[in-house]
Amino acid sequence: MRSVESNINGANKLMTKIERDKNREGVSYEDIATAATRIKGQALLTPVFTSKTVNERTKSQVFFKCENFQRTGSFKFRGAYNALIQLSEEQKHCGVITYSSGNHAQAVALAGKLLGIHTTIVMPEDSPVVKQAATKSYGAEVIFYNRYKTTREEVAGCLQQERSLTMIPPYDHPHIIAGQGTVALELFEEVGSLDLLLVCCGGGGLLSGSAISAAKLSPKCKVIGVEPEKGDDATRSFHSKTLQTVHNPDTIADGARTASLGALTFPLILHYVHDMVTVSDEALLRAMFFLWERLKIVVEPTGALSTAALLEGIVSAANARIGVIISGGNVDLKQVSNFAQIDEIR
């Protein structure tokens, strides 16, 4: 496994006293514990799967936290509900807006439906059809844009001003991060301490929230973020200690096409995460098919990021207890087939 000690030591030096003290814009474990109470009864307690085949292959004990069984098919519902339920009555009356390729879109749409809040969702035209359909089915107003001609932030920002809506960003928001941190909180409560925790990374909401939970509940656990090779902005940011960006990465992991980490998630990741790695799209597909065939669960490409890092040997540790967060299961089979032929991958 790659050395993580030098990385985290360097990251710690970058954290200012204000950041370490968790200023009013930061996120603490207490925020995550409160979020867990707030979303209880709405978010599902998702299962933890194990596999003898995976354990033998990795020479470790592996625990898969399966957020593909969460409402809307991904972990995103946790943060969305935690954020929307805390809005003022005026904000709820006016409605909310967000931008997303699909999973956060569905999460905000369902949370809005449950709480009686009108939701407007800005989605790329080429987002997975299955995610578009689900978002609309929850009653959201969906507005499409061409991601090669404009940015989702620009489109959503204009609509926010025109309609006096409250923005619920997909990851860079303290209530979103706190909600996502409940994934790891549940995992540690069920299986106990871990040596490694592998978490997929797009904008960093799930990764930063999970790492905060790990620091509190399993202090010796090394947290490693995983993102696609073609969208490696977070990995470059982590190792350079300077925020990096990527423009419309052409990766099958549509949930990790974010341009960069956020103003909140970046310092949290520098402080709490021990390493960042990347995996190829081919590795993602191999991991995704493996999970379908051996664990009998449907996982989307982004959801298989952490599994791919483990199965490909990019991250390894013999005789270890390893947690792997499977982030979602909203896969569009027609879109997957456009990237590669199954027989060429396996």
Side-chain angles (χ1 to χ4, degrees):
M1 185 183 69
R2 296 176 55 174
S3 172
V4 298
E5 297 300 334
S6 59
N7 288 330
I8 193 169
N9 289 337
N12 284 340
K13 292 179 181 178
L14 288 179
M15 294 300 294
T16 66
K17 182 178 185 300
I18 292 177
E19 288 168 336
R20 285 195 294 267
D21 287 345
K22 309 296 185 302
N23 67 18
R24 61 185 176 84
E25 293 183 332
V27 181
S28 67
Y29 175 74
E30 288 67 30
D31 295 321
I32 295 172
T34 300
T37 299
R38 190 177 290 121
I39 68 176
K40 187 176 182 179
Q42 294 297 334
L44 302 178
L45 178 62
T46 52
V48 175
F49 283 12
T50 58
S51 165
K52 182 178 179 180
T53 298
V54 172
N55 290 347
E56 292 176 347
R57 180 168 170 175
T58 62
K59 296 180 175 58
S60 290
Q61 189 173 11
V62 181
F63 303 92
F64 294 95
K65 176 64 170 173
C66 298
E67 283 295 292
N68 50 316
F69 290 105
Q70 185 54 260
R71 297 183 76 166
T72 72
S74 86
F75 72 95
K76 291 284 190 177
F77 178 75
R78 297 170 180 270
Y81 191 87
N82 187 52
L84 265 64
I85 198 173
Q86 296 185 71
L87 295 176
S88 68
E89 291 305 314
E90 181 180 358
Q91 289 174 316
K92 291 178 180 178
H93 175 74
C94 293
V96 302
I97 187 169
T98 193
Y99 44 86
S100 167
S101 65
N103 283 344
H104 180 65
Q106 295 173 74
V108 170
L110 177 56
K113 180 179 180 179
L114 294 172
L115 295 168
I117 302 171
H118 179 74
T119 57
T120 302
I121 315 294
V122 175
M123 298 183 72
E125 295 172 338
D126 58 352
S127 57
V129 175
V130 65
K131 296 182 180 182
Q132 296 179 21
T135 302
K136 292 178 181 178
S137 74
Y138 295 129
E141 176 187 2
V142 177
I143 297 176
F144 294 106
Y145 75 100
N146 186 323
R147 65 188 179 99
Y148 297 102
K149 295 181 179 180
T150 187
T151 67
R152 59 188 193 173
E153 290 86 357
E154 182 178 0
V155 175
C158 289
L159 289 169
Q160 177 189 17
Q161 295 299 319
E162 292 173 3
R163 302 184 183 184
S164 299
L165 304 174
T166 296
M167 182 70 72
I168 306 294
Y171 54 88
D172 208 36
H173 188 290
H175 299 162
I176 295 291
I177 296 169
Q180 318 308 29
T182 64
V183 176
L185 180 153
E186 289 181 3
L187 176 60
F188 288 115
E189 286 184 341
E190 180 167 347
V191 306
S193 61
L194 297 170
D195 298 304
L196 291 176
L197 177 63
L198 307 184
V199 188
C200 70
C201 180
L206 176 63
L207 176 57
S208 56
S210 296
I212 293 169
S213 290
K216 177 68 175 182
L217 301 176
S218 185
K220 295 182 179 180
C221 177
K222 304 300 183 184
V223 180
I224 299 177
V226 187
E227 65 179 346
E229 284 182 354
K230 296 179 180 179
D232 66 343
D233 57 287
T235 300
R236 288 185 287 112
S237 297
F238 181 86
H239 292 294
S240 69
K241 309 301 182 285
T242 302
L243 188 63
Q244 305 288 318
T245 62
V246 63
H247 182 65
N248 290 332
D250 185 20
T251 172
I252 193 173
D254 65 280
R257 288 176 180 163
T258 50
S260 71
L261 296 174
L264 293 179
T265 60
F266 182 37
L268 289 172
I269 287 171
L270 286 179
H271 183 57
Y272 288 103
V273 174
H274 298 77
D275 202 0
M276 291 287 307
V277 299
T278 64
V279 297
S280 68
D281 278 7
E282 292 76 18
L284 279 181
L285 287 171
R286 285 193 291 270
M288 187 174 69
F289 293 134
F290 179 90
L291 291 169
W292 289 3
E293 295 174 346
R294 304 309 294 264
L295 270 70
K296 314 305 180 186
I297 56 175
V298 176
V299 178
E300 63 186 280
T302 307
L305 278 165
S306 298
T307 304
L310 181 65
L311 296 183
E312 297 286 322
I314 296 171
V315 176
S316 63
N319 302 313
R321 288 170 55 83
I322 302 174
V324 175
I325 295 179
I326 295 176
S327 61
N330 295 311
V331 63
D332 188 330
L333 295 178
K334 292 182 179 179
Q335 189 176 54
V336 171
S337 66
N338 291 334
F339 284 85
Q341 295 296 319
I342 295 177
D343 289 340
E344 295 177 355
I345 301 252
R346 291 186 280 183

